[in-house]
Amino acid sequence: MDFMKRAAQVAAVFALMTLNAQAQQSEAALVEAAKKEGRVAYYTSYVAPQLHEAVKKAFERKYGIPVDLLNVRASELEERIRTEQAAGRFTGDVIQHGQASITRLSRAGTIQPYGDVPNAANMIEGQPADGVQTGSLITAYAITVNTDLVKPDEEPKSWRDLLNPKWKDKILSDDMRALGGGFAMFSAIMQEPTLGEAFHRELAKQNIVFTRDVGQSERRVARGEYPIWIPQISVNVLGLKGLPVRVIVPKEGVAYVRLDQAMLKNAPHPNAARLFMNYYLSEENQMLVGSTGLVPVVRNVAEKIPKEQRVMEGATLMGTILVETQQKYLNLASEIYK
């Protein structure tokens, strides 16, 4: 029995070594083909210039392949792609865009299957790649409170705690009636069975104050203008150190937005595109992503990020914006939060 067990272990080790060797050969062939194409054009609507520059430089340093980076707003990106493809000018290779938006673009024929991207097999639970689009990073949304105005025993441990009468007229919120973090929160709550539409109708009675100036909202709470800010985006949490605020992960979980990547139709540099997509899902790059307050989308990465850089660690991903319900929920948010 011991001999058979040992033989099975040896066979498993050899099988793993074979797979690793095949993977190395496959990546080597991909790198060679990508280098022959000479460059890769990367289009993204995620406004994070420092992150994109860091990824661009790391990829170029590793593979010697230049990255042509286009970082614009979502509406500008989609118009750029529409114009280029309508004119038969296919210049973009890889797109990074919201999950629901890429799903919509895929259905419109703007995206093509990406082929062999080995690291796409390593996605975290609940976020699988499908051969057409795959996650690249996740932004999560929770609750921030002013610690001078909200005592520890008063802190909202649940989204439902925001309904406490003491918070009436005292909650600052990103506008849920327009695309953005507020709408991601609205959608996630709609998908949570214990909350849903009934919760939103009760929350509307709290006379929450809407804003679209997300960059200043956390500071307004820190200054004491409001005791509570919703939803708190994970990527901004590291910048709040030293301020009288605390970020709270509700027990039901956090809203999130997944930024996906995909290969554009008729990409002129398909091998370089695959290599770039594969690099984005590498442990090396996902460590970089996670160190900025974003949630890595690849397994066995989050726990390797330095403790002081981990944001919303262990939070349940509650729900996100879905293409099937996007317009319906936008209409409902406008009806509830008048």
Side-chain angles (χ1 to χ4, degrees):
M1 182 64 72
D2 289 342
F3 173 78
M4 295 296 291
K5 184 176 180 180
R6 178 60 180 165
Q9 291 174 337
V10 171
V13 169
F14 274 110
L16 182 59
M17 290 174 62
T18 300
L19 287 173
N20 287 338
Q22 290 174 343
Q24 290 173 0
Q25 290 174 354
S26 176
E27 181 172 347
L30 179 59
V31 171
E32 183 179 355
K35 287 185 174 181
K36 288 179 179 178
E37 292 174 348
R39 61 195 324 104
V40 60
Y42 176 48
Y43 290 2
T44 175
S45 65
Y46 181 54
V47 184
Q50 290 182 323
L51 173 63
H52 298 317
E53 282 299 321
V55 174
K56 167 183 161 70
K57 289 178 181 177
F59 178 83
E60 291 175 341
R61 188 165 54 247
K62 187 178 183 73
Y63 297 110
I65 300 172
V67 178
D68 299 323
L69 173 64
L70 174 69
N71 185 194
V72 294
R73 294 179 181 274
S75 58
E76 295 176 62
L77 177 61
E78 294 196 18
E79 179 59 21
R80 170 74 172 261
I81 293 170
R82 187 195 67 78
T83 301
E84 287 183 354
Q85 295 199 355
R89 292 188 296 107
F90 300 96
T91 58
D93 294 305
V94 179
I95 179 175
Q96 183 188 55
H97 203 18
Q99 177 184 4
S101 297
I102 287 194
T103 299
R104 178 169 42 76
L105 291 175
S106 176
R107 292 175 181 177
T110 304
I111 307 296
Q112 69 180 36
Y114 53 71
D116 185 20
V117 175
N119 287 334
N122 301 328
M123 308 301 288
I124 59 175
E125 185 177 356
Q127 306 294 326
D130 65 6
V132 176
Q133 64 191 89
T134 176
S136 62
L137 58 87
I138 289 173
T139 58
Y141 297 88
I143 298 172
T144 286
V145 300
N146 179 300
T147 53
D148 294 332
L149 301 178
V150 181
K151 299 175 182 177
D153 61 348
E154 296 176 334
E155 291 178 351
K157 304 298 192 297
S158 161
W159 290 103
R160 191 168 293 283
D161 291 342
L162 298 176
L163 303 181
N164 190 317
K166 72 169 55 182
W167 305 132
K168 188 170 184 178
D169 303 312
K170 297 179 180 179
I171 300 173
L172 184 64
S173 172
D174 187 40
D175 197 337
M176 299 184 223
R177 301 164 300 185
L179 291 175
F183 181 63
M185 175 180 64
F186 182 92
S187 299
I189 287 172
M190 286 295 297
Q191 295 163 42
E192 169 53 45
T194 65
L195 298 171
E197 183 177 338
F199 169 83
H200 278 301
R201 293 196 179 278
E202 289 301 310
L203 185 61
K205 296 176 184 177
Q206 293 286 68
N207 295 337
I208 60 177
V209 179
F210 279 151
T211 178
R212 295 191 183 181
D213 188 0
V214 177
Q216 290 300 314
S217 297
E218 297 145 339
R219 290 334 195 243
R220 293 177 69 183
V221 170
R223 290 194 298 266
E225 291 183 40
Y226 293 89
I228 297 175
W229 158 246
I230 55 173
Q232 174 63 53
I233 186 170
S234 61
V235 74
N236 288 356
V237 171
L238 294 175
L240 301 178
K241 288 186 177 180
L243 298 178
V245 297
R246 185 177 0 263
V247 178
I248 298 169
V249 174
K251 67 179 184 181
E252 300 90 350
V254 294
Y256 72 94
V257 171
R258 195 179 85 190
L259 273 291
D260 278 11
Q261 56 180 355
M263 188 184 297
L264 288 162
K265 183 176 71 174
N266 294 334
H269 313 105
N271 292 298
R274 291 185 190 94
L275 185 63
F276 185 85
M277 292 175 70
N278 196 57
Y279 175 75
Y280 212 100
L281 298 178
S282 67
E283 179 176 306
E284 173 187 342
N285 190 65
Q286 288 293 301
M287 286 283 289
L288 171 63
V289 165
S291 69
T292 67
L294 295 161
V295 180
V297 295
V298 171
R299 295 192 300 267
N300 304 320
V301 170
E303 57 268 34
K304 297 178 183 177
I305 296 169
K307 187 80 172 174
E308 65 275 11
Q309 295 176 338
R310 298 181 197 175
V311 174
M312 302 185 191
E313 185 176 11
T316 299
L317 298 178
M318 185 170 65
T320 190
I321 300 170
L322 301 174
V323 67
E324 290 81 7
T325 56
Q326 180 173 306
Q327 192 56 54
K328 173 185 173 182
Y329 284 173
L330 281 169
N331 294 340
L332 184 60
S334 296
E335 185 263 308
I336 293 175
Y337 295 99
K338 297 178 181 176

